Amino acid sequence: MTEVLILSIVQGITEFIPVSSSSHLVILTKLMNFSGGVLLDISVHIGSFFAVIIYFRKDLIDYSKNLKILSLFLIASIPVILSGYLLTKYNLVNNLRTLEIIGWATILFGILLYISDKIKVKNEFEKNFDVSVAFKIGLLQCFSLIPGVSRSGIVITASRFLKFDRIDSAKISFLLSIPTLLAVSCYGFFKVIQEGKSIQNEINYLSIILSFIFSYLTIKYLLLYLKKFSLNFFVIYRIILGIILLSTIYIY
């Protein structure tokens, strides 16, 4: 029960802030000897998926009337979904889940996040989010498959480099998470069916609920935070975390 609580909270919070949920889940699993497992992984991602759907329900209803916006989000999601499928199919995912890779990725992409946040704002989501922008962000989003990079972090970084403000960058990140989270959930369900297991038990329901709650709250308060503050807090956190991880490898 403790494992479910901790992993659900960590997933809910870190999925949408630019610090990498996958790296935190890997670190926790290694440090606390959590068993994890495909069922729990599916459950916490489902919770995050429902959270972003419900939080942006009005936007999604509006976009449903605008096939252009929907198609652009699909275009931006194709590269990372295909790349994730190939990494999983050829069992390359675990090769990236080392503390050394996580440490370096956390620092390097934290520095890029800092640099991008200094870019002057010139574009607006409603006016300037087009095919070119969607494709560029979609390609860069593939880096998020490396633990430590952060899916939300690389999307926000790319959006800031493309001269969108912090709020629009975060919004793009949130909305782009929908196809990815859906793909992860569907693939997970497929694996569960293949293995003859069932997701219908109390532990999985609890993890979905907890992940949903903390994901929803994170989306809400991150948007409020970005209205007043820069991304420096997340940059500093990433660099400190990366230094700690690399120190444990190279010093000890």
Side-chain angles (χ1 to χ4, degrees), residues 51-63 175 216:
V52 71
I53 286 287
I54 292 176
Y55 190 90
F56 288 103
R57 60 191 181 279
K58 292 182 180 178
D59 296 87
L60 292 172
I61 291 172
D62 289 338
Y63 295 154
L175 293 172
Y216 189 93

Side-chain angles (χ1 to χ4, degrees), residues 4 7 16 49 76 105 112-113 155 160 173 192 196 205 216 222:
V4 171
L7 292 180
F16 297 108
F49 173 72
L112 281 177
L113 180 65
V155 173
R160 292 292 288 119
S173 170
V192 168
Y205 285 142
Y216 189 93
L222 179 61

